Amino acid sequence: MSASTLVHLLLLLLAAAAATSFTPTASASTDAIDRNSSLTGNQTLVSAGGVYELGFFSPAGADDGRTYLGIWYASIPGPTTVVWVANRQDPVLSSPGALQLSADGRLVILDGSNATVWSSAAPTTGNITARAAARLQDSGNLVLSADGSGSDEQSVAWQSFDYPTDTLLPGMKLGVDIRAGITRNITSWRSPSDPSPGDVTFKLVIGGLPQFFLLRGDERIYTSGPWNGDILTGVPYLRAQAFTFEVVYSADETYYSYFIRDPSLLSRLVVDGAATQLKRFSLNNGAWSSFWYYPTDQCDFYAKCGPFGYCDTARSPPCSCLPGFVPRSPDQWRQRDWSGGCVRATNLSCDGTGDGFWVVNRMKLPQATDATVYAGMTLDQCRQACLGNCSCGAYAAANNSGGVGVGCVFWTVDLLDMRQYPIVVQDVYIRLAQSDIDALNAAAADNHQRPQKSKLIIIVVATISGVLLVAAVGCCFWMMKKTKAQRKRQSDDTASSVPPSTADFQLPYRVRSQPSLSPVRGQQPDEVSGELRYAGEKDVDLPLFDLDVILAATDSFAEHKKIGAGGFGPVYMGVLEDGQQVAVKRLSQGSAQGAREFMNEVKLIAKLQHRNLVRLLGCCIDNDERMLVYEYMHNQSLDTFIFDEAKGRLLRWQKRFEIILGIARGLQYLHEDSRFRIIHRDLKASNVLLDRNMVPKISDFGIARMFGGDQTTAYTRKVIGTYGYMSPEYAMDGLISIKSDVFSFGVLVLEIVTGRRNRGSYQPELDVNLLGYAWMLWREGRGIELLDDALGGGFHHSRALRCVQVALLCVEAQPRNRPLMSSVVTMLSSDNAVLPEPNEPGVNPGMTTSSDTESSRTRSATANYVTVTRLEARSTGHSSL
Ligand SMILES: *[C@@H]1O[C@H](CO)[C@@H](O)[C@H](O)[C@H]1NC(C)=O
Ligand SMILES: *[C@@H]1O[C@H](CO)[C@@H](O)[C@H](O)[C@H]1NC(C)=O
Ligand SMILES: *[C@@H]1O[C@H](CO)[C@@H](O)[C@H](O)[C@H]1NC(C)=O
Ligand SMILES: *[C@@H]1O[C@H](CO)[C@@H](O)[C@H](O)[C@H]1NC(C)=O
Ligand SMILES: *[C@@H]1O[C@H](CO)[C@@H](O)[C@H](O)[C@H]1NC(C)=O
Ligand SMILES: *[C@@H]1O[C@H](CO)[C@@H](O)[C@H](O)[C@H]1NC(C)=O
Ligand SMILES: *[C@@H]1O[C@H](CO)[C@@H](O)[C@H](O)[C@H]1NC(C)=O
C-alpha cells in the first residue's frame, strides 16, 4: 500500500467521522485537495491559519439553486463575503457540485450528474506528478502545485490570484504580465445574486506611461492618472500607515499591488458595479467599512473639463482652461457644460522659435497612454524634442522615482483629464505661442499692482452703467404695472422698516389661505418646472430698487466694495441713502442660467421669512443687469470663522452650538414649515452668513428647488452644488429630496465641531476624509478627539458628542435613515432624548433603485425612525453579498 493511498484512507476516515459527529466544519480541517480527494456539497477547505475558506456557495438572493465555487473569509460570521469565484460564468445548476483535481493537472467542477461545468486553465508547468495538490493559502490564494510542495514558486502550475474576479486582495497583482501572457483586471459582479462579469472593470492600460482605468462598458469613468515612477499622479495621497502600495513597471510586467503591515487587519479592494466605484473595504470591529473609494469628487470623473481643461475642486466652477487656452464654446462653458474643453487662444507658430512653454504645477498628468516616452532624455532634451515636433503640445518628466524628474513624456494628442491638487504632484510644460506667453507674463506682473487694475475696472463698469442708466429703468418683471411713485415709496418704507435681526420666527404664509399651487402629481419635474408656476401670484411685496440707487450705494460696484462671490456673480457691500447697509448680489451678465437662477431666487426668498434665513430686501432688473439686495451680514460667512485658526478661537463651544441649532431651525423651516417644501441644495459653510450677533442665516437660494405639498423627491440631470456637501444619491443620481439637504447639514455640523473642511481634510495616513475620520473615531469611542482645539475647555463634552452623533445620523448612506430636520432640532435641543446609533456615512451611492419609494414615505418612516435605523443597521457595511 503506497503512502498516498494511506493518506487517502485516512482522509476518508476523517470525513466519515466528521459526518457522523454532525460537525460538518470538522471535515474542513484540511487546506488542500489532491488527485485522490474531492470537495463536495458543503465541504470546505480552510487555510492553515483559518483566514480563508473555499467551497460551494449560493449567492444571497439566488433562489434558483445556482451554486459557485468561491473563497470567502473563514473568520467572519454573518453574511459571507466572497472574494473570489472560480466558475463565475458557469454556475452548477444541479447540486451537489464537486471540485476535483484531474490527472492532467486541472481543477474541475462537476455537477450532480458528473458533467464538467468548469475547469481551470492548463497548468503552466508540464511536470504534474501524482503528488500534485491545490492548497488554499492564508493569503487567499488557491495554489495548484505540480509536485504538492505548495511553497516553491517553480512548482506553481496554476493559482487563483492570476484570475481575479471583482476583488483585489493584499498581494494580488492588477496589471499585465507580458512573459506569462496574463492580464489581471477586476470586474464587478453583475448583481449581488449573480457573480458573472458585470459591466464595470478596473484595469491597467499600457502604452506611453501606464495608468489604470475604471470603465463601465467602454466608457471611461475614472483613471488613476499615469504612473510617474513615484506615484500614480491621480492618487497623490496613496500612502497610509497600515498599507504599503506598489506599482511595478518593467519590460516584463506592470502591475499595482498592495500589502497590509498588520496581518490581522482584513482589507479588500472591490469594483462595485452598482456604484460604479472602486472601493477599499476594511474590517473594523466586525463590520466592513469603505473609507476609500474612487471616484471621490467631481474632479475625479474622467476628462471632466474636456481637452485642455483642468479641474480643481477648490475653485468654483471647478473647470478652467489651461493658461493660453479659451473655452471651445463659451456658451456651453458658461452653462457649466465643460465637455467641449478648450482651444488655443493663439495657434502655434511651429517654426521652432516662435513658441515657448508655460509651466503648470501640482498637476495630475494628462492621460499618457497615447503619449510618447523617451526614458533616457533630460528635461532639456525633452523640451527640444517637443519644440522639434509640430504636433507636440506639452511635455513633462517621465520618471520621478529618484526625487528629481528625468526622462521625457510628450503629448501630440489632446491633453485630457488634468486636475490640480493642493499638494505637489508634478509640473507639466504647456507649449504656447510666444505672444500668449508674453501676455501671461504681463498678467502675472500686473497682479503685483492690483490697485491700478481695479481702477481700470471701476472706469469700465462706470461707463457700462452710464449707458445702462439711459435705458429705461425697469424692475422686477411681474410688477411692471406699478407706478414709479409707488415703487419709490415702497422702497423707502422697507428700507427703514427692516425688522431687527433678533425678530423671532415669522411664518406669515402659514396663516394666509391660498389656493394650492402644488405641481401636478406624476408630472416629471425638471429644472424649469417649479419656477414659473408661481409667477401669477400677487402677494410678493418686494421693493424695487432703481439701478441708480444701487450704483450710488455700491460706489458703482467698486472693487473695494466687493465682499465675495456667490455661485453666479460677485457680491458687493453697499450703503443706502438712509444709512442702511445692504449686500448686493450682482448676477453675471449674459448668463442664461444666471437669469433663471435669479427668478428662482427672487420668488423663493421673497416668500420666506425666518430668523435663520437671510432676508431679501429687494431686487433690480435693468436690461441685462440683475441684482438682489439683501440685509447686510456684518460677520460675513461661517467658513471665514471656523476654518480660520485665529478667528476660530472667537467661536467658543456655546456659540457654535447656537449656530448649529440656528441652521437646523432655518432648514426645518424650509423643509417642513414654510408653505412650500424647499430644498436648498447648496447648504455649506460659505452659504451660512452671520449677523452682528452671530445669528446664522442661510443664504444663496440660487439653485434651490421648490416642491409642492406631497412631492418629496425629484431627479435632475444637471447635478449642481458643492462636492463635499453633496449626498451620494444626489451626486451620483441627481436624486433630490429634503434628505439631501440633511446630508449637507450633517457635513456642516462636523465641520463646525471640528473646525475642518470635509473637502481638503483628507487624512493621508488614514486614507479618510472628514466624514470617514469622524466615523472612525466615533466607532472607536474616541469621538471627543474630533472637537476643534479652538473650542477651549469649560463645556459639556456630552453635548458636543451629541452634535457629532446627530451629524453622523444626518450623513448616513441611506436617505431614509437620515432624520428629518424637525427630529434634528429635537435631538439637538433635548439633553435627554435617546439617539439612535449612527451607521457608516454615505459613501455608497449604489442603492438608488429603492430611493424613490423610500423618500416618498419619508414622513411615516420618520415616525418609526429608531426602528428603521436599527433594522438597517447591519446591512450597510456589506457591498457585494
Ligand atoms: C451539509 O450538508 C449536510 C447534508 O447535505 C447537511 O446535513 C448539513 O446540515 C450541511 N451543513 C451545513 C453547515 O450546511
Ligand atoms: C459520478 O461519478 C462517481 C464516481 O465516478 C459515481 O460514483 C457516481 O455514481 C456518478 N454519479 C452519476 C450521477 O453519474
Ligand atoms: C520538468 O521536468 C523536466 C525533465 O523531467 C526538468 O528538466 C524540468 O526542470 C522540470 N521542471 C520543473 C518545473 O520541475
Ligand atoms: C479582463 O481580463 C480578462 C482576462 O484576464 C479579459 O478576458 C477581459 O476581456 C478583461 N476585461 C476587460 C474589460 O478588459
Ligand atoms: C488655427 O489652426 C486651425 C487648425 O489648425 C485653423 O482652423 C485656424 O484657422 C487657425 N487659426 C488662426 C488664427 O490661424
Ligand atoms: C511627432 O511625434 C509623434 C509621436 O511620437 C510622431 O508620430 C510623429 O512622427 C512626430 N512628428 C515629427 C515631424 O517628428
Ligand atoms: C526611473 O529612474 C530610476 C532611477 O532614478 C530607474 O532605476 C528606473 O528604472 C526608471 N524607471 C523607468 C521605468 O525608466
Side-chain angles (χ1 to χ4, degrees):
M1 200 181 267
S2 77
S4 73
T5 325
L6 254 178
V7 171
H8 185 210
L9 263 179
L10 215 68
L11 273 173
L12 278 178
L13 280 173
L14 272 174
T20 47
S21 64
F22 287 102
T23 50
T25 39
S27 67
S29 56
T30 176
D31 65 349
I33 70 166
D34 59 20
R35 292 275 310 282
N36 302 314
S37 56
S38 75
L39 201 69
T40 322
N42 57 16
Q43 293 174 321
T44 59
L45 302 183
V46 175
S47 65
V51 185
Y52 290 97
E53 187 167 4
L54 174 138
F56 288 94
F57 72 98
S58 191
D63 40 18
D64 50 3
R66 277 177 290 129
T67 58
Y68 298 85
L69 181 74
I71 295 176
W72 56 86
Y73 294 95
S75 54
I76 304 175
T80 315
T81 306
V82 174
V83 296
W84 181 76
V85 182
N87 52 329
R88 63 188 306 192
Q89 304 202 64
D90 312 293
V92 176
L93 298 174
S94 61
S95 302
L99 174 68
Q100 293 179 353
L101 183 52
S102 72
D104 62 350
R106 291 174 189 252
L107 287 164
V108 293
I109 296 176
L110 305 178
D111 66 11
S113 48
N114 283 352
T116 303
V117 295
W118 176 87
S119 82
S120 64
T124 48
T125 129
N127 304 357
I128 298 294
T129 70
R131 286 176 294 130
R135 188 173 307 276
L136 181 61
Q137 301 183 340
D138 274 331
S139 60
N141 197 1
L142 178 65
V143 178
L144 172 63
S145 55
D147 59 3
S149 64
S151 50
D152 180 9
E153 199 164 297
Q154 292 299 308
S155 74
V156 172
W158 178 93
Q159 56 181 339
S160 65
F161 270 21
D162 285 342
Y163 304 91
T165 51
D166 69 333
T167 303
L168 199 71
L169 292 173
M172 274 170 114
K173 295 172 177 178
L174 186 85
V176 179
D177 185 337
I178 291 160
R179 264 175 325 181
I182 296 177
T183 300
R184 304 182 188 97
N185 49 34
I186 47 178
T187 302
S188 64
W189 284 29
R190 186 155 293 284
S191 77
S193 63
D194 182 1
S196 66
D199 57 1
V200 183
T201 297
F202 189 60
K203 64 178 231 179
L204 173 75
V205 175
I206 46 176
L209 296 176
Q211 75 189 85
F212 296 89
F213 286 89
L214 184 68
L215 305 156
R216 185 173 51 215
D218 289 333
E219 185 194 357
R220 290 172 168 171
I221 303 294
Y222 160 76
T223 162
S224 66
W227 171 250
N228 73 358
D230 179 31
I231 53 170
L232 290 164
T233 57
V235 198
Y237 307 98
L238 189 66
R239 295 202 171 93
Q241 242 160 23
F243 298 91
T244 35
F245 301 97
E246 180 178 82
V247 175
V248 168
Y249 174 32
S250 71
D252 288 339
E253 57 177 344
T254 301
Y255 62 83
Y256 163 86
S257 185
Y258 69 96
F259 304 89
I260 302 181
R261 298 209 176 94
D262 171 3
S264 69
L265 180 68
L266 300 185
S267 181
R268 59 201 167 97
L269 189 70
V270 178
V271 171
D272 182 333
T276 318
Q277 277 181 337
L278 182 69
K279 287 184 169 174
R280 175 180 303 294
F281 289 94
S282 295
L283 192 73
N284 288 315
N285 302 335
W288 289 109
S289 54
S290 73
F291 293 140
W292 187 99
Y293 53 95
Y294 275 95
T296 313
D297 58 40
Q298 57 182 339
C299 287
D300 277 337
F301 287 92
Y302 176 73
K304 166 107 184 162
C305 300
F308 303 103
Y310 71 96
C311 197
D312 183 354
T313 55
R315 288 176 185 237
S316 178
C319 285
S320 311
C321 286
L322 287 169
F325 287 76
V326 294
R328 182 184 299 276
S329 159
D331 277 344
Q332 272 179 21
W333 195 265
R334 260 199 303 276
Q335 288 166 36
R336 304 171 80 89
D337 173 2
W338 300 290
S339 56
C342 309
V343 293
R344 290 183 181 281
T346 313
N347 282 351
L348 296 175
S349 78
C350 238
D351 58 5
T353 54
D355 301 328
F357 291 91
W358 187 263
V359 62
V360 288
N361 339 94
R362 295 178 277 120
M363 284 291 171
K364 173 180 185 177
L365 287 183
Q367 182 188 324
T369 52
D370 304 323
T372 307
V373 177
Y374 296 103
M377 279 191 188
T378 65
L379 266 191
D380 215 45
Q381 291 167 328
C382 192
R383 179 192 185 94
Q384 296 310 322
C386 186
L387 279 178
N389 186 323
C390 198
S391 335
C392 175
Y395 74 91
N399 185 348
N400 278 22
S401 71
V404 279
V406 297
C408 173
V409 49
F410 73 66
W411 286 266
T412 57
V413 292
D414 285 356
L415 305 184
L416 286 172
D417 196 55
M418 295 180 82
R419 71 176 286 184
Q420 195 163 37
Y421 286 101
I423 62 163
V424 173
V425 182
Q426 193 167 348
D427 294 343
V428 180
Y429 300 82
I430 311 289
R431 182 175 182 179
L432 295 177
Q434 193 58 47
S435 59
D436 283 341
I437 290 176
D438 295 343
L440 286 166
N441 276 323
D446 234 32
N447 268 344
H448 295 294
Q449 295 155 16
R450 268 226 169 266
Q452 220 178 350
K453 201 183 170 198
S454 54
K455 236 183 243 165
L456 253 174
I457 290 173
I458 293 170
I459 294 165
V460 172
V461 171
T463 317
I464 293 173
S465 308
V467 173
L468 290 178
L469 265 178
V470 180
V473 177
C475 245
C476 297
F477 29 90
W478 66 89
M479 302 198 71
M480 288 301 195
K481 288 170 286 181
K482 298 215 173 184
T483 65
K484 174 96 181 176
Q486 252 179 322
R487 277 192 251 156
K488 185 82 184 136
R489 182 169 46 78
Q490 271 180 354
S491 163
D492 292 344
D493 280 353
T494 328
S496 53
S497 67
V498 177
S501 55
T502 45
D504 223 317
F505 301 89
Q506 304 168 6
L507 306 171
Y509 295 101
R510 277 183 145 178
V511 289
R512 270 183 215 180
S513 65
Q514 288 260 331
S516 168
L517 289 163
S518 58
V520 182
R521 209 102 49 92
Q523 177 187 323
Q524 179 67 21
D526 59 30
E527 287 299 316
V528 191
S529 72
E531 197 176 83
L532 294 170
R533 197 167 293 131
Y534 301 96
E537 288 188 4
K538 298 278 191 291
D539 60 344
V540 183
D541 284 337
L542 198 64
L544 314 158
F545 290 90
D546 286 334
L547 182 58
D548 50 354
V549 172
I550 308 272
L551 287 174
T554 60
D555 291 358
S556 302
F557 299 113
E559 191 71 7
H560 67 269
K561 292 276 190 179
K562 196 163 156 183
I563 52 176
F568 302 99
V571 182
Y572 297 85
M573 186 266 191
V575 185
L576 296 179
E577 252 180 5
D578 62 356
Q580 192 196 355
Q581 290 175 305
V582 293
V584 179
K585 178 168 165 180
R586 185 189 191 194
L587 271 82
S588 318
Q589 283 186 32
S591 150
Q593 185 164 3
R596 175 186 289 179
E597 257 76 37
F598 178 75
M599 293 161 69
N600 197 6
E601 188 163 4
V602 169
K603 286 179 218 160
L604 268 178
I605 312 219
K607 296 184 176 73
L608 300 173
Q609 295 184 45
H610 185 273
R611 178 177 195 240
N612 297 114
L613 300 185
V614 74
R615 207 176 141 70
L616 184 67
L617 301 179
C619 72
C620 177
I621 286 199
D622 191 286
N623 280 352
D624 279 342
E625 283 277 7
R626 289 172 184 82
M627 281 153 276
L628 293 167
V629 182
Y630 291 99
E631 58 178 334
Y632 179 70
M633 291 291 139
H634 287 82
N635 281 309
Q636 298 182 353
S637 51
L638 180 58
D639 58 337
T640 64
F641 278 87
I642 56 176
F643 301 137
D644 184 82
E645 211 176 301
K647 279 175 88 182
R649 300 198 176 276
L650 300 174
L651 276 192
R652 291 303 183 152
W653 166 251
Q654 185 55 31
K655 212 57 190 172
R656 290 196 198 203
F657 181 71
E658 282 166 21
I659 288 171
I660 289 172
L661 201 54
I663 301 168
R665 289 193 169 127
L667 208 51
Q668 180 191 357
Y669 170 80
L670 286 179
H671 287 177
E672 300 172 51
D673 293 339
S674 73
R675 190 158 58 101
F676 312 103
R677 188 184 295 264
I678 287 166
I679 323 290
H680 185 282
R681 284 172 78 193
D682 201 14
L683 184 69
K684 55 179 169 181
S686 58
N687 281 342
V688 173
L689 304 180
L690 299 168
D691 75 4
R692 207 191 289 274
N693 303 315
M694 301 301 278
V695 173
K697 314 235 174 194
I698 300 172
S699 78
D700 208 329
F701 290 74
I703 59 170
R705 280 287 294 269
M706 193 187 301
F707 281 1
D710 295 330
Q711 191 188 7
T712 55
T713 45
Y715 285 92
T716 179
R717 272 161 283 122
K718 209 165 20 171
V719 173
I720 31 184
T722 307
Y723 266 74
Y725 292 89
M726 277 190 206
S727 63
E729 78 277 11
Y730 175 52
M732 302 304 289
D733 290 301
L735 181 74
I736 307 169
S737 74
I738 53 178
K739 296 304 185 69
S740 33
D741 273 356
V742 172
F743 185 96
S744 311
F745 174 79
V747 175
L748 182 53
V749 171
L750 285 177
E751 291 184 330
I752 295 173
V753 171
T754 59
R756 292 154 60 168
R757 290 179 198 274
N758 186 32
R759 284 212 44 73
S761 76
Y762 188 87
Q763 299 262 302
E765 329 86 71
L766 299 170
D767 253 344
V768 293
N769 63 7
L770 178 58
L771 294 194
Y773 184 61
W775 169 243
M776 190 184 84
L777 290 186
W778 176 263
R779 219 191 18 221
E780 294 173 11
R782 295 159 60 200
I784 211 75
E785 291 177 39
L786 283 169
L787 306 189
D788 190 354
D789 291 339
L791 290 175
F795 61 93
H796 293 299
H797 283 174
S798 64
R799 203 176 230 196
L801 283 176
R802 169 178 296 273
C803 280
V804 173
Q805 187 167 0
V806 169
L808 285 171
L809 289 169
C810 289
V811 297
E812 283 207 12
Q814 292 282 0
R816 81 190 110 136
N817 285 358
R818 299 176 204 145
L820 285 177
M821 285 316 295
S822 46
S823 314
V824 168
V825 170
T826 313
M827 290 192 273
L828 285 175
S829 42
S830 150
D831 281 334
N832 305 319
V834 178
L835 307 194
E837 265 306 303
N839 293 306
E840 185 185 356
V843 289
N844 188 1
M847 310 155 185
T848 44
T849 39
S850 62
S851 299
D852 200 16
T853 47
E854 290 309 335
S855 314
S856 59
R857 282 195 269 117
T858 303
R859 279 183 181 276
S860 59
T862 309
N864 305 321
Y865 175 59
V866 175
T867 337
V868 172
T869 308
R870 295 242 182 266
L871 279 176
E872 293 300 318
R874 293 282 80 81
S875 63
T876 46
H878 300 275
S879 74
S880 40
L881 265 184

